[in-house]
Amino acid sequence: MKLGIIGVGNAGSKIVDKMVEFESLTNRKLCRHVMVINTARTDLSKPDHIPENRRILIGDTHQKAKGHGVGGDVDVGAEVAKNDIDEIRRAFDDVDIHEVDAILVCASLGGGTGSGAGPVVINELQKMYDEPVYGLGVLPGKYEGGRPALNAARSLQSFVNNTDNFIAFDNDAWRSKDQTVGEGYEGMNRELATRIVTLLGAGEYDEPTVAENAMDSSDIIRTLDTDGISSIGYASTSVENGDDGLLNRFREEHEIEDNSNLAAKINGLVRRAVNSRLTLPCDVSSADRALIVLSGPPSELSRKGLESAREWIENEVDTVEVLAGDDPRENASALSAVVLLSNVTQTPRIEAIQEQAVEAQEKIAEQEAVREEEIADLITDKDGKIDPVI
């Protein structure tokens, strides 16, 4: 797949930065056009792999933002993006849409810029292009508090309703208690980038190797063509790359045994990908469609193993809409399986965020009412003998 990726806000920009870094380390060419958009000038200086001319500052003349961010206010984030929509459009002019199969907009839904400006950017992209526009959103953890949950609940509706598919990443499922906040976010961004690039980068080959079970962008687009929310599973295991000639001769002598072992290894790896941490914990059987990508050295790939894994996924998801393909990488040091579960509907974490958001909204309204009453009591004399100036 040839992808245009846009990071909105600080977290979205960091995810895009990690994606570009990972594709470079693995010799992929997935991200054909890269852009990050932010309301905070200092945050735009943080990416290590995004060209300076692909960093767009919005809201520098806005009376509340002024180039310093929106302070977690989702409404200000949306307002800033709407006000600067012409500047955003001009940045899109550099994107040769004929070079991309789809566009991915990445953002955190708990802050102000990503959750507010992200949907505005998506709406504009949908107006300008016929290609699919996907969303990749990070859900705030319960520990982050009520305000981020309220931002996320509001923004989630806009992301899901206006994208062709929304891939969710749940901070709660990935938070490690023994890490600092910075280390935690760094690790989560790396994990997410690994999954997205391995999934969407399938079918793009620099090497002359041809996949036995070819996977291309149309397969990915078909699987994501469900609207709704999707989750990704991933598992990998190290492999040894020795002398290809010697290994090939050994395999000719032990072909039956090797094929059986490889098939079992692949089947187990795919099961581990689904049963370990998904980007969004969900009931697997609630998915509409699924897709498996197996990536690694050609010598480690097995058609029998992939077919067996696909049959297992069909039974787990209870659908025949399961595609599977391999992604041969000559110099890879690991065999990895990534599983896309498209349009999952039973997701406890999203339900919990909505409940937390309702509680937060009620509490905010209650606090504002009490505060107004307290201020009135403080500044108004009880006997009504003092008149205000105006």
Side-chain angles (χ1 to χ4, degrees), residues 172-211:
D172 258 5
W174 291 84
R175 183 190 180 208
S176 179
K177 295 180 180 179
D178 59 349
Q179 293 177 317
T180 66
V181 174
E183 290 171 342
Y185 287 137
E186 176 80 8
M188 287 187 283
N189 291 339
R190 184 169 54 250
E191 294 283 359
L192 183 51
T194 299
R195 285 152 177 74
I196 292 294
V197 173
T198 304
L199 170 68
L200 301 183
E204 180 275 307
Y205 310 111
D206 282 337
E207 298 94 349
T209 305
V210 177

Side-chain angles (χ1 to χ4, degrees), residues 364-378:
I364 289 169
E366 181 182 327
Q367 288 175 335
E368 287 177 351
V370 170
R371 197 65 177 162
E372 287 178 7
E373 185 178 337
E374 289 175 342
I375 292 172
D377 288 343
L378 176 66

